[in-house]
Amino acid sequence: MSNLDLWDRVEKTNPSHTKQVTFGRAITAIDPYRQIKNATEQFGPAGKGWGWSVVDTKFLPTNEVACLVRLWHGCDTQYIEQWGQNGLFIDKAEKKKDTDCMKKATTDGLTKCLSLLGFNADIFLGKFEDNKYVQDLKKEVADKEKKEAEDKAIREYQALCEPHMDSINVIKESIASGEYSLGSEAWKELSEDEKGLLWRAPKKGGLFTTNEISVMKSKEFREGQNINVKM
């Protein structure tokens, strides 16, 4: 087990979970709730596998509030602390108070704590300033999401097929043995909706192979002829 196992799992940031903000210069900011979700995936529910608290608060002469955030994971004696800051006002004239300043300072401290564990480290390492890195990452994320969607669709399809497994097995066995009569009968007993459900290409998760589908399309299978030839 490597000391970088956690870091390697959480360092890459989905570009769609970021936004550009300006504090003197343009910087990339991560959606804090995405970070919380990612931490939950790694450690368990907040308050159980991990959590945070504000252990100190200071009001600075620069009209900012600073919160010392303590993040623990695994147990409350295993923690990281970082200061988060936010202005007390939302306008340059300092007449409109920022009523969310404490929340924003806490979020800033939490993000910094998580970054020390590797969460969204590519942002803090400046990799998002490299357009090629961001474009490559977008493609990587898109490919991963496509694969996950395809796998989910296959699982859902197979779950829908589960009630028909007896018929599917009879059809498969009849094709393998060349005794098409039983398989043809099992196929005919299915409704048109059920047939439509099962008629899916193997590369899309279908339960019948390409050869089996070819046989099922044949006149011999439809008429239930026995050819006694093993597939």
Side-chain angles (χ1 to χ4, degrees):
M1 185 175 183
S2 167
N3 289 336
L4 289 174
D5 283 348
L6 173 61
W7 187 289
D8 291 340
R9 289 197 303 270
V10 300
E11 69 172 329
K12 291 184 178 180
T13 304
N14 185 333
S16 67
H17 298 166
T18 67
K19 63 180 180 180
Q20 294 295 312
V21 296
T22 302
F23 290 107
R25 65 184 181 89
I27 63 172
T28 302
I30 177 68
D31 181 341
Y33 268 88
R34 294 290 183 178
Q35 280 198 313
I36 291 172
K37 181 179 179 181
N38 291 341
T40 298
E41 288 176 343
Q42 299 298 322
F43 304 134
K48 186 176 181 180
W50 73 291
W52 67 92
S53 59
V54 176
V55 295
D56 195 6
T57 301
K58 295 182 183 296
F59 290 92
L60 307 178
T62 53
N63 279 338
E64 292 177 296
V65 61
C67 296
L68 181 61
V69 177
R70 174 178 295 178
L71 180 147
W72 60 270
H73 61 97
C75 61
D76 58 9
T77 58
Q78 184 171 280
Y79 61 83
I80 295 172
E81 292 181 345
Q82 284 288 292
W83 287 95
Q85 293 177 235
N86 195 77
L88 298 176
F89 301 92
I90 59 175
D91 63 325
K92 291 183 178 180
E94 297 186 345
K95 292 182 178 180
K96 297 179 181 179
K97 292 182 179 179
D98 188 344
T99 56
D100 287 330
C101 62
M102 294 293 292
K103 176 183 175 182
K104 292 176 180 177
T106 301
T107 299
D108 182 42
L110 178 60
T111 293
K112 290 175 180 176
C113 286
L114 288 170
S115 73
L116 295 181
L117 293 173
F119 287 86
N120 311 106
D122 53 358
I123 291 177
F124 295 93
L125 289 170
K127 292 184 179 180
F128 265 64
E129 296 175 12
D130 182 344
N131 288 332
K132 184 178 185 305
Y133 173 83
V134 175
Q135 292 306 313
D136 289 345
L137 190 56
K138 285 181 178 179
K139 183 179 184 306
E140 180 181 326
V141 170
D143 290 345
K144 180 181 178 182
E145 290 178 345
K146 180 181 178 182
K147 179 66 164 57
E148 289 175 347
E150 290 173 347
D151 290 345
K152 180 182 178 182
I154 289 174
R155 290 195 300 271
E156 291 175 346
Y157 164 74
Q158 291 176 341
L160 291 172
C161 292
E162 187 63 30
H164 309 296
M165 286 308 300
D166 288 344
S167 297
I168 292 170
N169 289 332
V170 169
I171 293 168
K172 284 178 168 288
E173 290 169 4
S174 75
I175 293 174
S177 66
E179 300 287 340
Y180 292 166
S181 57
L182 289 176
S184 178
E185 182 180 348
W187 182 251
K188 291 175 181 177
E189 288 176 351
L190 296 171
S191 70
E192 290 305 312
D193 286 343
E194 290 168 340
K195 290 176 181 177
L197 168 68
L198 298 177
W199 202 256
R200 181 180 291 198
K203 66 180 180 179
K204 295 184 178 180
L207 298 182
F208 292 110
T209 67
T210 302
N211 284 341
E212 289 169 341
I213 291 173
S214 178
V215 170
M216 293 165 70
K217 290 180 178 179
S218 70
K219 178 181 177 182
E220 291 82 4
F221 182 85
R222 291 198 305 271
E223 295 180 354
Q225 298 177 16
N226 296 331
I227 61 173
N228 297 315
V229 175
K230 215 166 184 63
M231 295 294 294

